[in-house]
Amino acid sequence: MQKEMSLWKRLLPILAVMVLALGLAGCGDQSSPSESQGGATESSADQGEMVGGWEWNADPAGSYLTDKEKAAFDEAYKTSKIEELGWTFNPVAHVATKKAEGDVRDVYLVQGACGDETEWDFITVKKLEGEDQEFVLNQITPGDLEPEDEPDELDAEEGWKFLPVSTAKPVMMPEEAQVAYDKVAGDLAGATPLGLVATQLVSGMNYLYLVQITPEGADEPTLALATVYNDLEGNASITETGYLEYAEYFDLF
């Protein structure tokens, strides 16, 4: 296991943080729902112009949610403003939760769609005592990976917990992406692919996968991104990997 885990490095993401209450762009506008119309944000690549020629996977993704989790997401979704803007979000996995007095949060991996536009995001459904429910959206954007073998940890004392996905529900990916992943699965021992996030056309194809994995000695799973290169002859190899930096993707505070 130690050999496999040495593959993982931390991802330093390029993303924009958005709280729906600030106001969003509508379907077909220049900016996506991950870009705020009135709050402080970091720069984010425009739709279809992602860094390094990456494109989000627009093939419909499968879902690991149980019926109970899906019902909870749908109920929270009804209170958001996204539907008014033409965006729909398919929840792929319920990845983390926080349950503390007066502070309940649930984090979902979602695939967003608006017409011919697609993006992948994390949505944190935030319920603070005495306040209206909020959706906080963090966009997943392929970026540079920095060497780092240790994953971040969610603060269990604050009530955070990772949720393992059900392997009884197999992931649904485009066939060619599944074939490429299967070729390197032995080097990602113990990993469960949650979905194909993006592709990059090179001399061959790069595939960016989000996976769930339990690090050696850990009690709970964590999330990471893995880039797999499939050459023109059909040979696949892992080129970059990285643990998610949760403070950038989840609304933790």
Side-chain angles (χ1 to χ4, degrees), residues 100-115:
E101 186 175 353
D103 185 352
V104 177
R105 309 180 195 208
D106 289 283
V107 182
Y108 300 89
L109 170 68
V110 301
Q111 184 185 40
C114 179

mmCIF file with all atom_site columns, all heavy atoms in Angstrom, residues 100-115:
data_model
loop_
_atom_site.group_PDB
_atom_site.id
_atom_site.type_symbol
_atom_site.label_atom_id
_atom_site.label_alt_id
_atom_site.label_comp_id
_atom_site.label_asym_id
_atom_site.label_entity_id
_atom_site.label_seq_id
_atom_site.pdbx_PDB_ins_code
_atom_site.Cartn_x
_atom_site.Cartn_y
_atom_site.Cartn_z
_atom_site.occupancy
_atom_site.B_iso_or_equiv
_atom_site.pdbx_formal_charge
_atom_site.auth_seq_id
_atom_site.auth_comp_id
_atom_site.auth_asym_id
_atom_site.auth_atom_id
_atom_site.pdbx_PDB_model_num
ATOM 1   N N   . ALA A 1 100 ? -23.178 19.586 13.959  1.00 0.00 ? 100 ALA A N   1
ATOM 2   C CA  . ALA A 1 100 ? -22.848 20.214 15.233  1.00 0.00 ? 100 ALA A CA  1
ATOM 3   C C   . ALA A 1 100 ? -24.047 21.047 15.656  1.00 0.00 ? 100 ALA A C   1
ATOM 4   O O   . ALA A 1 100 ? -24.935 21.349 14.843  1.00 0.00 ? 100 ALA A O   1
ATOM 5   C CB  . ALA A 1 100 ? -21.597 21.090 15.102  1.00 0.00 ? 100 ALA A CB  1
ATOM 6   N N   . GLU A 1 101 ? -24.109 21.403 16.914  1.00 0.00 ? 101 GLU A N   1
ATOM 7   C CA  . GLU A 1 101 ? -25.242 22.176 17.416  1.00 0.00 ? 101 GLU A CA  1
ATOM 8   C C   . GLU A 1 101 ? -25.355 23.500 16.659  1.00 0.00 ? 101 GLU A C   1
ATOM 9   O O   . GLU A 1 101 ? -24.447 24.327 16.661  1.00 0.00 ? 101 GLU A O   1
ATOM 10  C CB  . GLU A 1 101 ? -25.073 22.450 18.907  1.00 0.00 ? 101 GLU A CB  1
ATOM 11  C CG  . GLU A 1 101 ? -26.289 23.119 19.532  1.00 0.00 ? 101 GLU A CG  1
ATOM 12  C CD  . GLU A 1 101 ? -26.155 23.264 21.039  1.00 0.00 ? 101 GLU A CD  1
ATOM 13  O OE1 . GLU A 1 101 ? -25.181 22.738 21.614  1.00 0.00 ? 101 GLU A OE1 1
ATOM 14  O OE2 . GLU A 1 101 ? -27.038 23.901 21.635  1.00 0.00 ? 101 GLU A OE2 1
ATOM 15  N N   . GLY A 1 102 ? -26.477 23.670 15.976  1.00 0.00 ? 102 GLY A N   1
ATOM 16  C CA  . GLY A 1 102 ? -26.706 24.909 15.241  1.00 0.00 ? 102 GLY A CA  1
ATOM 17  C C   . GLY A 1 102 ? -25.948 25.032 13.947  1.00 0.00 ? 102 GLY A C   1
ATOM 18  O O   . GLY A 1 102 ? -25.939 26.092 13.322  1.00 0.00 ? 102 GLY A O   1
ATOM 19  N N   . ASP A 1 103 ? -25.301 23.956 13.492  1.00 0.00 ? 103 ASP A N   1
ATOM 20  C CA  . ASP A 1 103 ? -24.485 24.024 12.273  1.00 0.00 ? 103 ASP A CA  1
ATOM 21  C C   . ASP A 1 103 ? -24.490 22.654 11.602  1.00 0.00 ? 103 ASP A C   1
ATOM 22  O O   . ASP A 1 103 ? -23.802 21.734 12.036  1.00 0.00 ? 103 ASP A O   1
ATOM 23  C CB  . ASP A 1 103 ? -23.061 24.440 12.624  1.00 0.00 ? 103 ASP A CB  1
ATOM 24  C CG  . ASP A 1 103 ? -22.190 24.656 11.383  1.00 0.00 ? 103 ASP A CG  1
ATOM 25  O OD1 . ASP A 1 103 ? -22.635 24.339 10.269  1.00 0.00 ? 103 ASP A OD1 1
ATOM 26  O OD2 . ASP A 1 103 ? -21.056 25.151 11.549  1.00 0.00 ? 103 ASP A OD2 1
ATOM 27  N N   . VAL A 1 104 ? -25.279 22.533 10.531  1.00 0.00 ? 104 VAL A N   1
ATOM 28  C CA  . VAL A 1 104 ? -25.359 21.277 9.785   1.00 0.00 ? 104 VAL A CA  1
ATOM 29  C C   . VAL A 1 104 ? -24.997 21.561 8.332   1.00 0.00 ? 104 VAL A C   1
ATOM 30  O O   . VAL A 1 104 ? -25.550 22.471 7.713   1.00 0.00 ? 104 VAL A O   1
ATOM 31  C CB  . VAL A 1 104 ? -26.771 20.658 9.865   1.00 0.00 ? 104 VAL A CB  1
ATOM 32  C CG1 . VAL A 1 104 ? -26.843 19.397 9.012   1.00 0.00 ? 104 VAL A CG1 1
ATOM 33  C CG2 . VAL A 1 104 ? -27.139 20.355 11.309  1.00 0.00 ? 104 VAL A CG2 1
ATOM 34  N N   . ARG A 1 105 ? -24.063 20.785 7.767   1.00 0.00 ? 105 ARG A N   1
ATOM 35  C CA  . ARG A 1 105 ? -23.634 20.979 6.384   1.00 0.00 ? 105 ARG A CA  1
ATOM 36  C C   . ARG A 1 105 ? -23.489 19.626 5.701   1.00 0.00 ? 105 ARG A C   1
ATOM 37  O O   . ARG A 1 105 ? -23.059 18.658 6.313   1.00 0.00 ? 105 ARG A O   1
ATOM 38  C CB  . ARG A 1 105 ? -22.298 21.738 6.316   1.00 0.00 ? 105 ARG A CB  1
ATOM 39  C CG  . ARG A 1 105 ? -22.318 23.014 7.129   1.00 0.00 ? 105 ARG A CG  1
ATOM 40  C CD  . ARG A 1 105 ? -21.003 23.749 7.054   1.00 0.00 ? 105 ARG A CD  1
ATOM 41  N NE  . ARG A 1 105 ? -20.952 24.742 8.117   1.00 0.00 ? 105 ARG A NE  1
ATOM 42  C CZ  . ARG A 1 105 ? -20.273 25.874 8.067   1.00 0.00 ? 105 ARG A CZ  1
ATOM 43  N NH1 . ARG A 1 105 ? -19.579 26.166 6.982   1.00 0.00 ? 105 ARG A NH1 1
ATOM 44  N NH2 . ARG A 1 105 ? -20.271 26.715 9.071   1.00 0.00 ? 105 ARG A NH2 1
ATOM 45  N N   . ASP A 1 106 ? -23.865 19.597 4.442   1.00 0.00 ? 106 ASP A N   1
ATOM 46  C CA  . ASP A 1 106 ? -23.705 18.395 3.631   1.00 0.00 ? 106 ASP A CA  1
ATOM 47  C C   . ASP A 1 106 ? -23.027 18.783 2.332   1.00 0.00 ? 106 ASP A C   1
ATOM 48  O O   . ASP A 1 106 ? -23.431 19.748 1.678   1.00 0.00 ? 106 ASP A O   1
ATOM 49  C CB  . ASP A 1 106 ? -25.066 17.752 3.350   1.00 0.00 ? 106 ASP A CB  1
ATOM 50  C CG  . ASP A 1 106 ? -25.668 17.115 4.585   1.00 0.00 ? 106 ASP A CG  1
ATOM 51  O OD1 . ASP A 1 106 ? -25.208 16.006 4.945   1.00 0.00 ? 106 ASP A OD1 1
ATOM 52  O OD2 . ASP A 1 106 ? -26.583 17.706 5.189   1.00 0.00 ? 106 ASP A OD2 1
ATOM 53  N N   . VAL A 1 107 ? -21.993 18.022 1.955   1.00 0.00 ? 107 VAL A N   1
ATOM 54  C CA  . VAL A 1 107 ? -21.207 18.324 0.764   1.00 0.00 ? 107 VAL A CA  1
ATOM 55  C C   . VAL A 1 107 ? -21.473 17.259 -0.298  1.00 0.00 ? 107 VAL A C   1
ATOM 56  O O   . VAL A 1 107 ? -21.357 16.055 -0.026  1.00 0.00 ? 107 VAL A O   1
ATOM 57  C CB  . VAL A 1 107 ? -19.701 18.381 1.072   1.00 0.00 ? 107 VAL A CB  1
ATOM 58  C CG1 . VAL A 1 107 ? -18.915 18.750 -0.180  1.00 0.00 ? 107 VAL A CG1 1
ATOM 59  C CG2 . VAL A 1 107 ? -19.420 19.383 2.195   1.00 0.00 ? 107 VAL A CG2 1
ATOM 60  N N   . TYR A 1 108 ? -21.833 17.719 -1.495  1.00 0.00 ? 108 TYR A N   1
ATOM 61  C CA  . TYR A 1 108 ? -22.141 16.827 -2.613  1.00 0.00 ? 108 TYR A CA  1
ATOM 62  C C   . TYR A 1 108 ? -21.227 17.124 -3.798  1.00 0.00 ? 108 TYR A C   1
ATOM 63  O O   . TYR A 1 108 ? -20.937 18.285 -4.091  1.00 0.00 ? 108 TYR A O   1
ATOM 64  C CB  . TYR A 1 108 ? -23.591 17.022 -3.068  1.00 0.00 ? 108 TYR A CB  1
ATOM 65  C CG  . TYR A 1 108 ? -24.638 16.752 -2.031  1.00 0.00 ? 108 TYR A CG  1
ATOM 66  C CD1 . TYR A 1 108 ? -25.067 17.768 -1.176  1.00 0.00 ? 108 TYR A CD1 1
ATOM 67  C CD2 . TYR A 1 108 ? -25.225 15.492 -1.896  1.00 0.00 ? 108 TYR A CD2 1
ATOM 68  C CE1 . TYR A 1 108 ? -26.043 17.533 -0.209  1.00 0.00 ? 108 TYR A CE1 1
ATOM 69  C CE2 . TYR A 1 108 ? -26.204 15.253 -0.944  1.00 0.00 ? 108 TYR A CE2 1
ATOM 70  C CZ  . TYR A 1 108 ? -26.607 16.275 -0.104  1.00 0.00 ? 108 TYR A CZ  1
ATOM 71  O OH  . TYR A 1 108 ? -27.573 16.049 0.854   1.00 0.00 ? 108 TYR A OH  1
ATOM 72  N N   . LEU A 1 109 ? -20.794 16.065 -4.477  1.00 0.00 ? 109 LEU A N   1
ATOM 73  C CA  . LEU A 1 109 ? -20.187 16.205 -5.794  1.00 0.00 ? 109 LEU A CA  1
ATOM 74  C C   . LEU A 1 109 ? -21.324 16.243 -6.796  1.00 0.00 ? 109 LEU A C   1
ATOM 75  O O   . LEU A 1 109 ? -22.206 15.378 -6.779  1.00 0.00 ? 109 LEU A O   1
ATOM 76  C CB  . LEU A 1 109 ? -19.273 15.016 -6.085  1.00 0.00 ? 109 LEU A CB  1
ATOM 77  C CG  . LEU A 1 109 ? -18.747 14.907 -7.527  1.00 0.00 ? 109 LEU A CG  1
ATOM 78  C CD1 . LEU A 1 109 ? -17.774 16.029 -7.829  1.00 0.00 ? 109 LEU A CD1 1
ATOM 79  C CD2 . LEU A 1 109 ? -18.102 13.545 -7.755  1.00 0.00 ? 109 LEU A CD2 1
ATOM 80  N N   . VAL A 1 110 ? -21.328 17.251 -7.680  1.00 0.00 ? 110 VAL A N   1
ATOM 81  C CA  . VAL A 1 110 ? -22.428 17.394 -8.631  1.00 0.00 ? 110 VAL A CA  1
ATOM 82  C C   . VAL A 1 110 ? -21.892 17.659 -10.031 1.00 0.00 ? 110 VAL A C   1
ATOM 83  O O   . VAL A 1 110 ? -20.774 18.161 -10.212 1.00 0.00 ? 110 VAL A O   1
ATOM 84  C CB  . VAL A 1 110 ? -23.386 18.545 -8.235  1.00 0.00 ? 110 VAL A CB  1
ATOM 85  C CG1 . VAL A 1 110 ? -23.974 18.318 -6.850  1.00 0.00 ? 110 VAL A CG1 1
ATOM 86  C CG2 . VAL A 1 110 ? -22.686 19.900 -8.313  1.00 0.00 ? 110 VAL A CG2 1
ATOM 87  N N   . GLN A 1 111 ? -22.697 17.312 -11.026 1.00 0.00 ? 111 GLN A N   1
ATOM 88  C CA  . GLN A 1 111 ? -22.433 17.658 -12.417 1.00 0.00 ? 111 GLN A CA  1
ATOM 89  C C   . GLN A 1 111 ? -23.493 18.660 -12.832 1.00 0.00 ? 111 GLN A C   1
ATOM 90  O O   . GLN A 1 111 ? -24.684 18.371 -12.781 1.00 0.00 ? 111 GLN A O   1
ATOM 91  C CB  . GLN A 1 111 ? -22.487 16.422 -13.308 1.00 0.00 ? 111 GLN A CB  1
ATOM 92  C CG  . GLN A 1 111 ? -22.126 16.686 -14.772 1.00 0.00 ? 111 GLN A CG  1
ATOM 93  C CD  . GLN A 1 111 ? -22.314 15.458 -15.642 1.00 0.00 ? 111 GLN A CD  1
ATOM 94  O OE1 . GLN A 1 111 ? -23.267 14.721 -15.476 1.00 0.00 ? 111 GLN A OE1 1
ATOM 95  N NE2 . GLN A 1 111 ? -21.393 15.246 -16.573 1.00 0.00 ? 111 GLN A NE2 1
ATOM 96  N N   . GLY A 1 112 ? -23.051 19.860 -13.211 1.00 0.00 ? 112 GLY A N   1
ATOM 97  C CA  . GLY A 1 112 ? -23.985 20.917 -13.581 1.00 0.00 ? 112 GLY A CA  1
ATOM 98  C C   . GLY A 1 112 ? -24.142 21.015 -15.081 1.00 0.00 ? 112 GLY A C   1
ATOM 99  O O   . GLY A 1 112 ? -23.200 20.789 -15.835 1.00 0.00 ? 112 GLY A O   1
ATOM 100 N N   . ALA A 1 113 ? -25.359 21.366 -15.528 1.00 0.00 ? 113 ALA A N   1
ATOM 101 C CA  . ALA A 1 113 ? -25.621 21.497 -16.961 1.00 0.00 ? 113 ALA A CA  1
ATOM 102 C C   . ALA A 1 113 ? -26.571 22.651 -17.210 1.00 0.00 ? 113 ALA A C   1
ATOM 103 O O   . ALA A 1 113 ? -27.501 22.894 -16.434 1.00 0.00 ? 113 ALA A O   1
ATOM 104 C CB  . ALA A 1 113 ? -26.196 20.206 -17.531 1.00 0.00 ? 113 ALA A CB  1
ATOM 105 N N   . CYS A 1 114 ? -26.318 23.384 -18.302 1.00 0.00 ? 114 CYS A N   1
ATOM 106 C CA  . CYS A 1 114 ? -27.181 24.485 -18.724 1.00 0.00 ? 114 CYS A CA  1
ATOM 107 C C   . CYS A 1 114 ? -27.071 24.559 -20.244 1.00 0.00 ? 114 CYS A C   1
ATOM 108 O O   . CYS A 1 114 ? -26.075 25.045 -20.774 1.00 0.00 ? 114 CYS A O   1
ATOM 109 C CB  . CYS A 1 114 ? -26.734 25.792 -18.083 1.00 0.00 ? 114 CYS A CB  1
ATOM 110 S SG  . CYS A 1 114 ? -27.717 27.217 -18.570 1.00 0.00 ? 114 CYS A SG  1
ATOM 111 N N   . GLY A 1 115 ? -28.082 24.036 -20.945 1.00 0.00 ? 115 GLY A N   1
ATOM 112 C CA  . GLY A 1 115 ? -27.966 23.965 -22.397 1.00 0.00 ? 115 GLY A CA  1
ATOM 113 C C   . GLY A 1 115 ? -26.803 23.071 -22.774 1.00 0.00 ? 115 GLY A C   1
ATOM 114 O O   . GLY A 1 115 ? -26.711 21.928 -22.336 1.00 0.00 ? 115 GLY A O   1
#
